[in-house]
C-alpha cells in the first residue's frame, strides 16, 4: 500500500471578514489544500508563518499600504510578503493584497482620488491575452478600489481599465489582481453592508451593484474558476 500524499497547504490573509476567500475556498479544498486563515492585525503574520506554505493568498481591505502609522500590523505583513516573494513561493494578491505585493517588489502605490466600484469590463494587454487571464478580456469583473499600483520592474502588465491603467501583473509564480475574482456573487450583500459608508460617501447606489451581481455574477464565477484553476495548475509543483 502506497503512502498517502502530504496535503498542500495554503495561508490566506484576510483584512475584513466579508472580503474572504469566496469561491477560492471550495476550489482549494477540492484540490486537497489545508487552509489556514489569518486575520490581519490579530493573528501573527511573519516570514516563518508563510515560509512553508505551498500557497499564500493576501486578500483585500479598506486601508492603504501607506497606512503603517495608523495600522502598524502592516509592517510585519510587508516583511512577511517580501520574504515570501524572495523565496519564489506561489503567491496571489487581490486588491490591497496586490498592492502589498507591488510595493514589496519596488513599485509605487498611491491613492488616486477616484474610485472604481462595481462590475466593469476589463481590457487585457497583449501579454494578458497570452496569460491565464485570457478568458476575462472584455468581460465585466468586480472592482472595489481607489488606490493604484505601478507595475513592478520585470513584471508583465496584464490588464487595464479606462480609469486604472494597471489592473494586474505577473512575475514568476506571483499574480497580483486589482479586481476581485474570488468574490462570491451570492454573498454580495455582505460587501454592500460592510462598505455602506464608502458607497454613501461616493454616491453609489447599492441597488445597482446588487443587480449587477445577480445578472453578471454567475458568468464571472465560471470564468474566474477557469482562470484560478489554470493559475493553480501553472504554479503548483
Amino acid at each position: 500500500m502506497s503512502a498517502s500524499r502530504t496535503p498542500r497547504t495554503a495561508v490566506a490573509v484576510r483584512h475584513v471578514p466579508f472580503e474572504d476567500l469566496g469561491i477560492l475556498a471550495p476550489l482549494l479544498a477540492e484540490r486537497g489544500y489545508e487552509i489556514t486563515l489569518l486575520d490581519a492585525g490579530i493573528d501573527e503574520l511573519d516570514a516563518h508563518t508563510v515560509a512553508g506554505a505551498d500557497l499564500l493568498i493576501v486578500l483585500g481591505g479598506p486601508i492603504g499600504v501607506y497606512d503603517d502609522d495608523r495600522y502598524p500590523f502592516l509592517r510585519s505583513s510587508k516583511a512577511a510578503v517580501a520574504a515570501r516573494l524572495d523565496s519564489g513561493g506561489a503567491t496571489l494578491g487581490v486588491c490591497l493584497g496586490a498592492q502589498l505585493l507591488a510595493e514589496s517588489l519596488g513599485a509605487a502605490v498611491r491613492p488616486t482620488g477616484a474610485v472604481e466600484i462595481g462590475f466593469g469590463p476589463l481590457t487585457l494587454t497583449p501579454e494578458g491575452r497570452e496569460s491565464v487571464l485570457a478568458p476575462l478580456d472584455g468581460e465585466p469583473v468586480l472592482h472595489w478600489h481607489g488606490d493604484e499600483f505601478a507595475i513592478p520592474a520585470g513584471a508583465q502588465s496584464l490588464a487595464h481599465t479606462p480609469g486604472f491603467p494597471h489592473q494586474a501583473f505577473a512575475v514568476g509564480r506571483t499574480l497580483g489582481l486589482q479586481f476581485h475574482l474570488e468574490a462570491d456573487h451570492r454573498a454580495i450583500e455582505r460587501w454592500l453592508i460592510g462598505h455602506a459608508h464608502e458607497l454613501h460617501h461616493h454616491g453609489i447606489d447599492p441597488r445597482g451593484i446588487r443587480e449587477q451581481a445577480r445578472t453578471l455574477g454567475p458568468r464571472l464565477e465560471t470564468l474566474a474558476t477557469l482562470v484560478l484553476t489554470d493559475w493553480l495548475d501553472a504554479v503548483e509543483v
Side-chain angles (χ1 to χ4, degrees):
M1 182 177 178
S2 60
S4 59
R5 184 190 181 281
T6 302
R8 293 188 178 97
T9 58
V11 171
V13 181
R14 179 176 65 179
H15 295 91
V16 287
F18 57 88
E19 293 198 33
D20 56 17
L21 284 171
I23 67 169
L24 257 172
L27 179 60
L28 293 175
E30 289 170 6
R31 298 174 77 95
Y33 280 87
E34 291 184 350
I35 303 170
T36 298
L37 182 63
L38 301 179
D39 282 311
I42 299 173
D43 298 318
E44 185 174 359
L45 176 65
D46 55 28
H48 176 73
T49 306
V50 302
D54 295 301
L55 175 64
L56 173 64
I57 303 168
V58 188
L59 295 163
I63 60 176
V65 300
Y66 40 78
D67 283 331
D68 306 59
D69 289 343
R70 287 178 288 181
Y71 299 96
F73 77 84
L74 282 168
R75 298 179 186 126
S76 59
S77 294
K78 291 178 181 181
V81 167
R84 175 70 177 190
L85 296 177
D86 285 343
S87 76
T91 305
L92 173 65
V94 178
C95 202
L96 172 59
Q99 293 158 14
L100 286 166
L101 299 185
E103 185 184 75
S104 294
L105 291 167
V109 179
R110 68 176 189 91
T112 66
V115 295
E116 192 172 41
I117 296 176
F119 288 75
L122 194 68
T123 301
L124 299 188
T125 65
E127 292 81 8
R129 288 191 287 273
E130 297 297 323
S131 76
V132 295
L133 299 187
L136 299 177
D137 198 16
E139 296 286 344
V141 298
L142 178 61
H143 303 277
W144 212 299
H145 48 256
D147 291 356
E148 69 174 4
F149 52 73
I151 301 299
Q156 289 186 320
S157 176
L158 303 179
H160 57 88
T161 59
F164 286 77
H166 302 143
Q167 286 279 358
F169 67 86
V171 56
R173 299 169 71 210
T174 294
L175 178 64
L177 304 176
Q178 183 82 294
F179 48 91
H180 294 271
L181 291 185
E182 84 293 349
D184 186 340
H185 62 93
R186 292 169 291 265
I188 195 64
E189 205 66 28
R190 297 168 64 200
W191 290 62
L192 300 179
I193 296 168
H195 287 305
H197 178 75
E198 182 181 27
L199 292 174
H200 177 75
H201 176 75
H202 292 291
I204 298 171
D205 192 331
R207 291 172 291 189
I209 300 175
R210 186 181 295 119
E211 180 62 13
Q212 289 177 325
R214 185 187 71 81
T215 58
L216 302 174
R219 175 171 171 79
L220 177 58
E221 180 177 1
T222 298
L223 297 176
T225 300
L226 176 60
V227 168
L228 294 168
T229 296
D230 286 350
W231 183 72
L232 288 168
D233 284 344
V235 299
E236 286 174 355
V237 293

